[in-house]
Amino acid sequence: MKKTLIIAIAALIPAPCFAQLKQYNIVDYGAVTNTLSTKAVQAAIDACTANGGGDVVVPTGVFLMGTVHLKSNVHLYLQSGALLRGSPNLNDYEPYKPDTPYVPIHIGMFFTKDAENISITGEGQIDGNGDNFMELDKAKKLDSVTTQYSRQGKNYRHVESGIGDGPVVPKDRPYQMFVFSNCKRVTIKDVFITGAPFWCMHFADCDAVKVDGIRLWNSLLVPNADGIDINSCTNVIVNNCDIRSGDDCFAITGFDHHFEIPGFEHLRHVSENIIVSNCNLQSSSSAIRIGYLDQNTVRNVQVSNINITNSTRGIGIFLRDQGSLENISFNNIYIETHFRTGDWWGNAEPIHISAVRGKAVVKLGEIKHVTFNDIVCKGENGILLYGSKESVLQDISFNHIRFEFADSKLNDIAGGNIDLRGCLDIKQGIFKHDIPGFLAEYVDGLRIKDFQLSWINPRMPWLTNGIEVNHFKNLTISEFNETGAPKNNKAHPVKLKDGENFMSDLKVTDVYKIGVK
């Protein structure tokens, strides 16, 4: 009797009321499949944010759009089979600063500024329609000014016919496919992103960014088709992504502006606390780029558990301006690089670090406190560290490195050069140079421990020493028992020039010294 009474009383008590997340389906706001639906998508976003937030839903189907602006508390959700495709008409994208005297720039599909708590997720696809803005039958070629100091001169990266490895020639095109400028708490998860006509996903001056599980596949033939650009941001985590891009898969920089590109607000602040892990990367330029013309310092960057394949350059750290690059670690990474024809930056280096002037007048920053641990490489050019008198590389460590230096079918038209492009001096851009397995210039506090170097069919006469270090202080080399290029009788296991305070466990006969104190 008591049990029956309790059940009866419980039935009279109302169930807890949980607020249902509001949903705004773009079709309800006028979106039509295979039709330009920019206004409908924007109307759904505006209604969502005006009512305090919720889900803007893209249902199954193909919807064309130009530029839309995401806003605070909006979750853009793409159902399975949903496809947002960029319009093929450039005029469907908003002009950026239309009153500027030069040809107007058109911003891309998503431009979001000064917003917070934004997300894009789902099983659907966003396609930038990049091929529509390219001349796919023409290759963008290097000019004779750029190649004049290369080993091959005008024949540098020459293509006999067709477009070779690209890049194809861009037409007028929308700029970044996604821009998040000065935003907080941004999440991008699971979506499939393709076909960016320019930089794909650009975060500028953002805080608390999370990118997880996305597939971002741009054409490997499209120039400037970066994957994810993280510019002057803080507290960024990128995990579990598959990125294939015609330019850098990741560009982690301290820009407060960058030429005419939209999204920057000239904000001066440190960029810090950035983690990239568990990703597969392919790039026609650098799979991972840190730095370039940085006004802001970038620090506290951790990169781990990465596969880099089919790339022109593996990891690149570049200092060309006043912003410093510091406290950077790379752990448990596989790198595979090769030469490409055409006007791509990068020269098959698995690892590249350089600090040379890229801008006049400014005081150059520094690269310091960088570690590489448990790295396996196979590349068609050597590992390169290239500091300068005015910006010496500081406190750089290599621990447990395995490097197979492989022959290339493109050596005759591309090999035997160093590529420091982005520098102020044209003579330092691409220039002829003999190639050791590991070359370091202007370093202080370089440590190399347990480095295994294998030469795979080393047929070129300009291949030289195993390790070569010039203009150094405080150099340590241990557990290196390899040789210089086997077919070069003048090559040494280790060659050192103009340095002081060298420590090693190597045999005296394995180290050739000139001007070492």
Side-chain angles (χ1 to χ4, degrees), residues 28 76 131 216 260 299 416:
D28 295 335
L76 182 68
D131 283 356
L216 194 166
E260 79 284 8
R299 67 189 183 197

Side-chain angles (χ1 to χ4, degrees), residues 203-234:
F203 300 96
D205 302 303
C206 292
D207 181 25
V209 173
K210 181 180 180 181
V211 181
D212 191 2
I214 70 169
R215 282 78 173 173
L216 194 166
W217 296 359
N218 293 331
S219 171
L220 291 173
L221 296 175
V222 171
N224 313 114
D226 292 22
I228 300 176
D229 288 75
I230 301 166
N231 300 152
S232 296
C233 292
T234 55

Side-chain angles (χ1 to χ4, degrees), residues 328-349:
I328 304 170
S329 67
F330 299 91
N331 299 281
N332 193 28
I333 297 175
Y334 175 73
I335 304 171
E336 183 183 300
T337 58
H338 61 84
F339 289 118
R340 276 179 165 86
T341 61
D343 189 9
W344 296 111
W345 283 21
N347 220 35
E349 319 97 301

